[in-house]
Amino acid sequence: MRLLPIIAAVAIAAPACAALAPGAQAPDFTTRGAVAGKVVNVHLADLLKKGPVVLYFFPAAFTGGCNAEAHAFAEAMPAFRKAGATVIGMSADDVPTLQRFSSEKCAGKFAVASAGPKVVAGYDVSLGKQMAGRDITKRTSYVIGRNGRIAFVHDNMDASGHVEETLAAVQKLRS
């Protein structure tokens, strides 16, 4: 059958989709992270009381795409705050690494937090690869409404577009 190789090629070329579709309930979590180098606790339910949350997963701190994405989110923080949103970066990095990353690459403008195995599984962001002996995550951004439901998903390993598209989704929530 000639159709089978074509179907297989299309399946391989198709982008991976995040398991949490718009409308799904976002899994609650509590973890540790850092803002401006200081360790903080991050609890999704508490953050949602203040407004929508942009939860953006990135593969690994101090890598090219992740550095650029963190810088872009830091630059856009005034617009996210104006729209009433909290931005949280998430990776499987340990807290000491995220302390340095939050100061150096996020300019201390938003929290980055450590995504443990339950958070990675709950948000279906495992990349299925390791770096320096630890699992790394996909580059997936979720906009979560105050009601705890996923309002928007951007699931693409290319760092470009995440900030603009998540900001537009947050702004749409306000209108």
Side-chain angles (χ1 to χ4, degrees):
M1 286 188 118
R2 299 190 121 185
L3 192 54
L4 199 51
I6 293 170
I7 292 171
V10 169
I12 291 168
C17 293
L20 298 180
Q25 184 68 41
D28 190 24
F29 63 86
T30 300
T31 190
R32 292 179 33 182
V35 176
K38 295 184 180 173
V39 175
V40 296
N41 288 320
V42 177
H43 183 199
L44 180 63
D46 288 344
L47 295 172
L48 289 171
K49 291 174 185 174
K50 301 173 189 173
V53 171
V54 174
L55 190 61
Y56 90 89
F57 289 87
F58 59 95
F62 299 108
T63 58
C66 299
N67 293 347
E69 186 176 32
H71 177 76
F73 268 108
E75 291 292 310
M77 283 311 299
F80 279 105
R81 284 190 186 103
K82 182 177 179 184
T86 301
V87 173
I88 305 293
M90 300 282 293
S91 77
D93 289 302
D94 61 21
V95 173
T97 300
L98 293 173
Q99 283 181 272
R100 286 187 14 253
F101 189 72
S102 71
S103 292
E104 295 175 27
K105 302 301 177 184
C106 305
K109 295 190 177 184
F110 60 92
V112 286
S114 186
K118 286 184 181 179
V119 173
V120 170
Y123 283 88
D124 191 31
V125 292
S126 175
L127 189 57
K129 295 181 182 181
Q130 288 198 337
M131 175 183 278
R134 62 168 181 75
D135 293 329
I136 56 176
T137 64
K138 297 182 206 174
R139 189 177 312 281
T140 303
S141 298
Y142 290 101
V143 174
I144 305 167
R146 287 186 77 153
N147 62 359
R149 299 217 171 264
I150 304 297
F152 174 80
V153 181
H154 187 278
D155 190 28
N156 189 326
M157 287 302 287
D158 182 352
S160 64
H162 276 235
V163 174
E164 296 82 6
E165 291 184 28
T166 55
L167 179 57
V170 168
Q171 291 168 332
K172 186 176 176 183
L173 284 177
R174 286 199 80 176
S175 58

